[in-house]
Amino acid sequence: MDVLETSKFLDEELYSRQLYVLGLPAMQKLQGAKVLLSGLQGLGAEVAKNLVLMGVGSLTLHDPHPTCWSDLAAQFFLSENDLGKSRAEASQELVAKLNGDVQVCVHTDDITEDLLLDFQVVVLTASDLEEQLKVGTLCHKHGVCFLVADTRGLVGQLFCDFGENFIVQDPTEAEPLTAAIQHISQGSPGILTLREEDDTRNFRDVDLVTFSGIEGMVELNGCAPRPTRMQQDGTLEIGDTTTFSCYLRGGVVTEVKSPKTVSHKPLDAALLQPCVVAQSPQEVHRAHSLHQAFRALHTFQDLRGRPPKPWDPVDADKVVDLARALEPLRRADGKPLEEPLDEVLVRTVALSSAGGLSPMAAMLGAVAAQEVLKAVTRKFMPLDQWLYFDALDCLPEDGESLPNPEDCSPRGCRYDGQIAVFGAGFQEKLSRQHYLLVGAGAIGCELLKGFALMGLGATSSKGVTVADMDHIERSNLSRQFLFRLQDIGLFLLSSQRPKAEVAAEAAYRLNSDVQVTPLNYPLDPTTEHIYGDDFFSRVDGVVAALDSFQARHYVATRCIHYLKPLLEAGTQGTRGSASVFIPHVTENYRGPTLATASENAPYPVCTVRYLPTKVEHTLQWARDEFEGLFCLSAKTINCYQQARTSLVDTDGPQLLTLLKVVPGVLRERPQTWQDCVVWALGQWQLCFYYGIMQLVLKDGARFWAAPNLCPQPLEFDATQDMHLLYVLAAANLYAQMHGLPGSQDKPALREMLTLLPLPDPQHLASAEPGPEKVQELHKALQVWSVGPPLQPLTFEKDDDSNFHVDFVTAAASLRAQNYGIPPANRAQCKRIVGQIIPAIATATAAVAGLVGLELYKVVGRPRTLSAFRHSYLHLAENYFSRWIPRAPAVQTFHHLKWTCWDPLKVPAGKPERTLKSLLAHLQEQYGLKVKMLLQEGALLYSVRSSPEKQAQRLSLRVTELVQQVTRQMLKPGQRVLVLELSCEGETDNTTFPPLHYKL
């Protein structure tokens, strides 16, 4: 097979989020891959879209069949103008526009053996069994990875054959474990003690390790992988170290991932001995019945020359008969499987098999594209070998009427593929909806694409409202399907375009029937005048695609307040989840709260400054250094220059510290690049030599005894790359702050540093400068008053030319060297400090498809709890799980019962009731004797208030009282006041429902 020559250039900005999932070696392999994709209906379009967005080297499309109406329900590269045209040829131009770095070709002839030799991977979708067997046999013969993907209505099938000796070089998504070493003994076996208890637990299942950075026992540094075994006390046996030097200090142990070999059967054998991906014996049995259903559908097609008609009972019965007559499936040992065919399942599959649905194509297309990535990169374990996915729970539940053939017959419209499954009546209901989509990022774009194909809100004047305040960046383009290069402002005089606006325009191009209204405002407490009572009264449901728990919680509280269904999804790497929350039916959203979500929580200051033990501590320190040196200090000195105050009156040592770092070792304001280098070199000496020396001497040997890590000062060496990078980055940032030109010339800088004497910044290391030092600083700052204000720098992670990430990387690495901590590389630093969430197009598409499936249920007739599904998937590990949500928890107080969806409702009345009337109503209607009443934290009433105050307030109208206490007018269009209760007889566990005072 041919492989494209991989370009040395990889657009790291474009693929930045994906690089954190795949890594650079895998991305380079992907750039050189050649893939043949046959079949360009909805499923094929999804596979093509994902592969091109992710940057496959070359994609050849094959599908000579003409476009028909039923294709348009899921095929977003085609439109009404393409009816009758070859699907592949009509799709090529739009596929190619997704990524200019990918070669997109069309093959118009038959698939031959010679053709297959040109590709590493071949994918067949919407193909008949005869073609699958022919192509699969040839691919297996020549070592070409082979996939079959198919969807029939609400069921999907995926098959992988990567050959009998396929080596997976990196089986898991997780980075290799690393840990700091506390001690290594000399012996047979040598015993390694890790520094952190958490690391001990992590290394429990590690088989092979290697070492770096060890002082003393240097024989282990860079050694071949050594087997390890954990002992009961948590230490690790690492083999014979008897002849090695004595261990002194430091070092890192790193897990070595072991390649794994996968053996796949060819399709002809796997048809009768299917190995299925499933999480339970019940799922295995269901998958076997679905396997037979697909075989029977192929047989029906061969016999009748057509698929079964939509919801035709005669055709469905024939498919069941054909499934019964199939050769029985066999176990791995060749013996027949002793399990009955689920005939009800097979019949349901046959009845609904004629349609093509966008959410199903999105889900199966995502998994198929991920398997292509596994084939070309040899990263992550491939499917073994069949995957069956069904969403038949979208159909009406037991006892309800199923669609009839007349309602599901073709209409000659773009929704025919969806009508074939759910009927024209359902399509009409779908078209009348008004939904709010919160977030137009990667998942939001996929959702909006799905809404357009489904026809959500197609006949509604409101349709879909999409809310997002962000603008498009280059890193969005490898995952966010609706955006293109011209949308990021590179070719325009204007700035980057808003995501919501561009997404709305792109959705209109997909389906001009769908009305999408963009709003460039976030959904948060500051915009409740926009997304208020009037807005939500017109909304049928909310779909959230947000990347912060805080934002998700807020949207969920609004949905609870307005009793609106909420569907939400999220991803991290190849993991993804989709959830559905229905008023009065399911529990409410229960993601991590602000108190428990720890991804952004700061580390203790003393740990970061003095006692770091892991790389995250050094990165926090480096990030704080950036903020103090190049942002806060500039703002502070600007304020000082404007106020012209005396330093004697300056508020506290922290402010003095911010002021003194600006001059540093300089006595005059910098005028040249060399001045900036001198300042940066002085800062290096202060942070990594003098500051460390002072810290060690101040606290003494007793403080630095184990387990505290005693830091070691570093000697500056311009020949060491990280030393040089720190000075280069710091000098450039200092120059930017002073409006001076910088330099990127490392050789020239290295030569300059060999000629410069090392500055002596000892006077800067003092935490509490005396009067003389204060006077010296005052004189230095007077010099800085001559010239323009300093330019504070705001940390920006996505511009690799601004030295921001370079500074943090170098500073954290040097700090790690001080403490003998394993350092992070630049990519890891950027991800951690920039709080970047690893992301890839496949996981994004998959969760959007799962949300779309739940949307079918929400829009249809009211459903019971058992109809709905939460979902979780991990594409790298072939894990797929769907489960029924929990019912809402019921709370009680005396005779009252309520859930989170049940507010107390009290009408304001005409004329409006007083506070006294409200309290009396609550006691008469609900038996609640209120002792405290609040509105957004403001105390309206308390039994502990003075009689005079109570009497004055009891006589006021409720709205008058609220405005008087809060000193705020009611919001325009506000229909409800939300009040909080505290009542007599409550316990610590009682949480009363909110009181909705309806105006």
Side-chain angles (χ1 to χ4, degrees), residues 830-870:
K830 184 175 180 179
R831 177 180 61 82
I832 296 171
V833 175
Q835 299 175 5
I836 295 173
I837 301 174
I840 194 167
T842 47
T844 298
V847 297
L850 293 168
V851 168
L853 293 171
E854 296 307 304
L855 181 62
Y856 285 139
K857 305 171 188 177
V858 177
V859 171
R861 66 183 66 188
R863 299 290 191 94
T864 62
L865 181 68
S866 61
F868 297 100
R869 298 291 185 273
H870 290 333

Side-chain angles (χ1 to χ4, degrees), residues 21 173 370 380 572-576 840 842-843 873-877:
V21 180
E173 184 171 7
Q370 188 70 48
F380 310 146
Q572 181 172 6
T574 67
R575 296 174 173 87
I840 194 167
T842 47
L873 56 85
H874 191 181
L875 298 177
E877 297 189 1

Side-chain angles (χ1 to χ4, degrees), residues 26 110 149 156 175 183 312 340 342 384 511 520 542 650 704 755 763 907 985:
D110 293 338
E175 290 287 322
H183 184 263
D312 186 306
D342 188 337
D384 187 24
N511 182 359
N520 301 325
V542 178
T650 303
W704 293 112
L755 302 175
H763 67 285

Side-chain angles (χ1 to χ4, degrees), residues 647-702:
L647 286 179
V648 176
D649 302 324
T650 303
D651 185 19
Q654 184 177 5
L655 195 57
L656 287 172
T657 300
L658 288 172
L659 286 170
K660 72 183 181 181
V661 298
V662 177
V665 295
L666 301 180
R667 290 295 175 264
E668 295 182 357
R669 187 173 177 130
Q671 303 295 321
T672 67
W673 166 242
Q674 181 169 318
D675 292 340
C676 297
V677 171
V678 170
W679 177 88
L681 186 58
Q683 199 62 32
W684 193 102
Q685 286 286 95
L686 173 65
C687 291
F688 309 113
Y689 181 76
Y690 282 111
I692 298 297
M693 289 287 289
Q694 184 186 56
L695 189 62
V696 173
L697 294 175
K698 176 184 176 183
D699 294 310
R702 180 176 297 180

Side-chain angles (χ1 to χ4, degrees), residues 894-948:
H894 299 328
H895 65 283
L896 286 179
K897 291 184 179 181
W898 69 90
T899 73
C900 62
W901 301 104
D902 300 312
L904 298 175
K905 298 179 181 180
V906 177
K910 292 184 179 180
E912 186 192 349
R913 67 174 74 241
T914 62
L915 174 62
K916 181 178 181 180
S917 170
L918 173 62
L919 299 179
H921 179 85
L922 290 171
Q923 185 165 4
E924 295 169 5
Q925 187 74 22
Y926 299 107
L928 298 176
K929 192 170 184 180
V930 177
K931 62 180 183 181
M932 191 180 297
L933 187 67
L934 300 96
Q935 200 268 330
E936 293 185 355
L939 182 62
L940 304 179
Y941 169 79
S942 172
V943 294
R944 295 185 178 182
S945 299
S946 65
E948 296 79 8

Side-chain angles (χ1 to χ4, degrees), residues 85-116:
K85 299 178 183 177
S86 157
R87 293 188 191 118
E89 293 179 359
S91 301
Q92 180 185 13
E93 181 180 355
L94 290 180
V95 174
K97 284 184 177 180
L98 293 176
N99 190 337
D101 294 334
V102 178
Q103 298 178 18
V104 179
C105 313
V106 171
H107 178 74
T108 57
D109 295 328
D110 293 338
I111 297 177
T112 64
E113 185 170 3
D114 289 340
L115 175 69
L116 297 175

Side-chain angles (χ1 to χ4, degrees), residues 439-469:
I443 298 174
C445 283
E446 288 288 338
L447 288 166
L448 197 53
K449 175 206 72 183
F451 296 164
L453 295 172
M454 295 162 68
L456 182 69
T459 63
S460 167
S461 60
K462 297 296 181 181
V464 177
T465 298
V466 56
D468 197 308
M469 64 180 292

